[in-house]
Amino acid sequence: MPLSYDLIHSSSTIPMTTMTRHETLAERADALLARMTLAQKLGQMMMPERMAATADDVRDYHIGSVLSGGGSAPGTNAVSDWVAMNDAYWAASMDEAPGRLPIPLLYAVDAIHGHANVRGATVFPHNIGLGCTRDPELVARAAGVMAREVLATGVDWTFAPTLAVAQNIHWGRTYESFSERPEVVASFAAGYVRAVQGDLGADGVIACAKHWVGDGGTTAGNDQGDTAITEAELERTHMTPYYPALDAGLLTVMASFNSWNGDKCHGHRYLLTDVLKGRLGFDGLVVSDWDGVDYLHEDYGTAISMAANAGIDVFMVSVEWKQCLALLTQQVEQGVVPMSRIDDAVRRILGVKLRFGLFEKPRPAARVWSNDPAFGGLAHREVAREAVRKSLVLLKNDQTLLPLSRAARILVAGKSAHNRGHQCGGFTVAWQGETTNEAIAGGTSVWEGIQALTPMATLDESGASADAASHDVAIVVIGETPYAEGMGDLRAGGRVQPGSQVVVKPHTLPPYGKTTELAQLHPDDLATITAIAAKGIPVVTVFIGGRPLVVNAELDASQAFVAAWLPGSEGQGVADVLLGDFPFHGTLSFAWPASAAPSYKDEAPRFPFGYGIVTG
Ligand code: BGC
């Protein structure tokens, strides 16, 4: 059970002898609540996107939190731009003009594999790779570094960890999932939350477990789809990772876009209130996902009241927050949403802010870690590099081709050999990710990593110059190109509803592809491998991608095959292992499919869950 904030005393820094009486955080929250007008309360419940809300809006509408959607960054996207932006929002929230009650604002981002929205951040492997390390201590260290980089920008809250237990690789968010097994996801949850939140002092940021609940279990792996399973199965597979996160003192939870047996989670009073806040005793706040409230009902006002009454405390409403605020006000005034529900939501919001010590923190620019020069620095990148090394899974190694000798004449080929954008995947600088080296400031591509270890390697992405007389071996780096959310779905047809994007609705986009077979999604990859192999050069294939795909042809044409997932900015970690400085350590956190049948789980996998040739 999470620690109740009634038990934490706000005045704990005052020596016992001078204290007559502790005022509990709950009492402080209640005292504030008693002084708040309806407008001030409902303002706390709004979370607009930064592009849709100015600092003046924060002051005038008493807004409680603001977020950056994927790729949304201030100024030139430098750390100092973020601090300046947060400072301006914070100052507006603390304005003491008549009619205002200063309550510090929370700023939130998707730091889900590092603070990767920010240029120059240390970008860690996406969760699927971290899952293959089976190393909760390492993952917690990575989360701690990430939190420190978040603090450097004056941001308070990250929408991480994702605790999805992806059950179908067709889902475009598979890479956000540590594993298809709940126990593996759960093994990372508590350490991650503790590393991010710290002791809720100057070293921590607020964590947010997402997406409650069943996001990884939708039929056919459709993003924002329906999870049609029994309650016992929902609990066993999808709730399991939340228990240790809650025990670790998790402060916030995000509602999920998906439905459970046809009923949308955003309007699900049983799941949000009865189970999460009731049975599991969660006393933090529940934030809605990006405009996730909108889909509850065609009448927006009704949708808003359904969400509020179901248990949503903070409304992430991107652009149309003024309309949301006006309609919520109306619903309260008409008694559709009872005042007791509003008070409960605001008490939770204030409780999170108080427990986080937000009222005691100075303005963002004056905080301990703001503009920390360690942001994107070597010490942080070393942790990411270690995570890359330990996340690699060696699937095939005929004649013990790997590790390669530094003396070997290595041809480095493939479209992702020298592409830090591809390595990082979605949710990196841009919401859908980037496709160039330039967009990812700092770090190393796989090629740059190899080059740093041996002068005997040459780069030719096309592989056209392959020649057995000059090359002893080829490393071919292939795989998926970046995507995020539903745009990464593999669906037979149709279009998908985008999530975190500032667009005018309704708006849909095409999915990534129609099949789980890489040779159909990216035929050039197989062509590069087979052309090099046909010249009698042994091929080491390195797969970059957000999920295991059917790669039978690529595997058969390669003598060695390494799954590198989406390793992030530190391609050096891949080179470290290929050239034998460190052993292969990772084991599959998802079964690897053998066929592109839609129900791939029914097939005998090409490699079972837990497989991986470990070399040390
Ligand atoms: C995603 C969330 C994310 C939010 C804010 C949504 O589209 O589903 O995971 O935290 O956007 O960017």
Side-chain angles (χ1 to χ4, degrees):
M1 292 281 283
L3 194 60
S4 162
Y5 63 81
D6 283 295
L7 301 174
I8 308 172
H9 296 278
S10 61
S11 48
S12 55
T13 51
I14 303 170
M16 282 303 286
T17 47
T18 64
M19 276 193 302
T20 48
R21 169 179 182 278
H22 285 296
E23 185 186 32
T24 65
L25 296 188
E27 284 168 347
R28 277 182 76 185
D30 280 339
L32 276 169
L33 197 63
R35 294 168 57 201
M36 290 171 80
T37 62
L38 180 62
Q40 288 168 348
K41 290 177 184 174
L42 301 187
Q44 284 298 310
M45 295 173 70
M46 293 296 119
M47 177 191 265
E49 211 281 340
R50 56 170 282 279
M51 292 201 279
T54 63
D56 285 351
D57 288 331
V58 166
R59 186 195 57 220
D60 297 347
Y61 293 88
H62 317 285
I63 289 171
S65 54
V66 175
L67 90 148
S68 272
S72 173
T76 61
N77 197 4
V79 168
S80 55
D81 293 323
W82 285 81
V83 174
M85 172 189 72
N86 281 309
D87 221 41
Y89 278 133
W90 182 90
S93 72
M94 297 304 280
D95 189 296
E96 292 185 32
R100 281 202 37 84
L101 186 62
I103 295 176
L105 169 121
L106 286 173
Y107 197 92
V109 295
D110 285 302
I112 64 170
H113 66 138
H115 195 6
N117 225 357
V118 185
R119 193 170 162 78
T122 306
V123 185
F124 289 85
H126 269 295
N127 287 350
I128 192 167
L130 295 179
C132 294
T133 69
R134 299 291 201 284
D135 187 341
E137 182 278 327
L138 170 61
V139 172
R141 247 187 308 135
V145 169
M146 177 191 79
R148 188 60 65 83
E149 296 207 354
V150 170
L151 284 168
T153 58
V155 168
D156 316 283
W157 186 0
T158 176
F159 296 134
T162 304
L163 296 180
V165 187
Q167 297 297 291
N168 192 320
I169 57 168
H170 290 83
W171 191 33
R173 306 190 78 154
T174 301
Y175 64 75
E176 293 183 58
S177 175
F178 289 109
S179 175
E180 66 184 13
R181 301 251 175 129
E183 63 276 15
V184 176
V185 180
S187 72
F188 297 111
Y192 197 117
V193 169
R194 280 197 202 100
V196 169
Q197 294 191 166
D199 61 0
L200 297 177
D203 292 350
V205 296
I206 296 170
C208 181
K210 67 186 187 183
H211 308 83
W212 180 263
V213 61
D215 49 356
T218 60
T219 305
N222 286 351
D223 192 45
Q224 309 189 6
D226 185 31
T227 297
I229 54 178
T230 63
E231 181 160 6
E233 180 57 19
L234 188 71
E235 276 184 30
R236 199 192 68 78
T237 302
H238 301 282
M239 289 187 193
T240 292
Y242 284 84
Y243 306 145
L246 293 171
D247 280 344
L250 176 73
L251 288 177
T252 74
V253 170
M254 189 184 292
S256 190
F257 277 127
N258 66 274
S259 306
W260 177 42
N261 294 327
D263 295 322
K264 291 204 170 287
C265 289
H266 274 79
H268 216 297
R269 193 186 160 87
Y270 175 69
L271 290 177
L272 295 176
T273 297
D274 299 349
V275 177
L276 179 61
K277 294 177 175 178
R279 182 154 28 105
L280 302 183
F282 175 60
D283 58 2
L285 69 83
V286 175
V287 58
S288 62
D289 200 347
W290 185 272
D291 294 335
V293 165
D294 301 26
Y295 310 109
L296 293 180
H297 197 278
E298 56 193 17
D299 173 62
Y300 193 28
T302 307
I304 290 164
S305 63
M306 285 168 73
N309 286 335
I312 297 291
D313 302 308
V314 171
F315 286 69
M316 191 199 293
V317 274
S318 73
V319 181
E320 289 151 9
W321 60 272
K322 280 185 190 161
Q323 195 192 354
C324 178
L325 183 57
L327 289 169
L328 181 57
T329 309
Q330 214 177 70
Q331 299 287 326
V332 175
E333 283 167 354
Q334 290 169 0
V336 184
V337 179
M339 205 53 214
S340 56
R341 175 71 268 275
I342 299 299
D343 284 345
D344 172 55
V346 178
R347 203 177 279 114
R348 285 170 180 276
I349 296 164
L350 295 174
V352 167
K353 290 184 173 185
L354 285 162
R355 274 187 281 176
F356 182 53
L358 193 63
F359 288 81
E360 282 71 42
K361 287 190 205 286
R363 58 189 313 142
R367 292 181 192 166
V368 189
W369 298 113
S370 289
N371 289 308
D372 183 10
F375 181 94
L378 190 62
H380 289 184
R381 291 184 186 277
E382 278 302 316
V383 178
R385 183 173 166 184
E386 180 184 347
V388 174
R389 290 196 292 255
K390 292 193 173 151
S391 67
L392 303 179
V393 182
L394 179 58
L395 295 175
K396 177 179 182 181
N397 196 20
D398 283 358
Q399 281 96 46
T400 325
L401 180 61
L402 288 172
L404 301 178
S405 154
R406 275 178 158 73
R409 295 166 304 163
I410 305 170
L411 172 69
V412 181
K415 69 171 190 281
S416 298
H418 185 38
N419 194 315
R420 297 198 294 274
H422 287 185
Q423 282 169 212
C424 288
F427 285 103
T428 315
V429 182
W431 176 44
Q432 291 292 315
E434 294 283 359
T435 54
T436 65
N437 284 316
E438 296 68 44
I440 312 297
T444 42
S445 67
V446 175
W447 157 247
E448 289 166 328
I450 294 168
Q451 206 185 14
L453 297 182
T454 170
M456 300 295 286
T458 48
L459 174 70
D460 173 11
E461 289 178 17
S462 74
S465 61
D467 165 16
S470 1
H471 302 120
D472 301 316
V473 63
I475 295 173
V476 185
V477 189
I478 60 157
E480 293 187 303
T481 51
Y483 54 76
E485 303 190 34
M487 275 54 75
D489 279 8
L490 298 169
R491 300 189 186 192
R495 294 169 71 82
V496 296
Q497 178 68 44
S500 173
Q501 189 184 219
V502 182
V503 288
V504 178
K505 294 169 287 172
H507 179 87
T508 58
L509 291 168
Y512 189 73
K514 292 181 170 24
T515 163
T516 55
E517 188 158 12
L518 183 67
Q520 286 190 49
L521 293 168
H522 294 286
D524 290 356
D525 288 342
L526 181 58
T528 308
I529 296 169
T530 49
I532 295 172
K535 292 185 177 162
I537 303 169
V539 171
V540 176
T541 294
V542 175
F543 171 80
I544 303 281
R547 54 194 148 202
L549 291 173
V550 178
V551 289
N552 296 329
E554 294 83 352
L555 264 163
D556 293 346
S558 312
Q559 217 163 303
F561 196 101
V562 177
W565 313 110
L566 297 169
S569 55
E570 307 312 303
Q572 185 70 59
V574 179
D576 290 343
V577 181
L578 292 178
L579 286 156
D581 286 359
F582 291 87
F584 282 95
H585 163 95
T587 53
L588 291 177
S589 61
F590 283 79
W592 197 289
S595 93
S599 57
Y600 79 100
K601 285 228 160 197
D602 302 332
E603 306 293 315
R606 176 84 192 226
F607 302 105
F609 169 90
Y611 183 78
I613 305 168
V614 172
T615 61

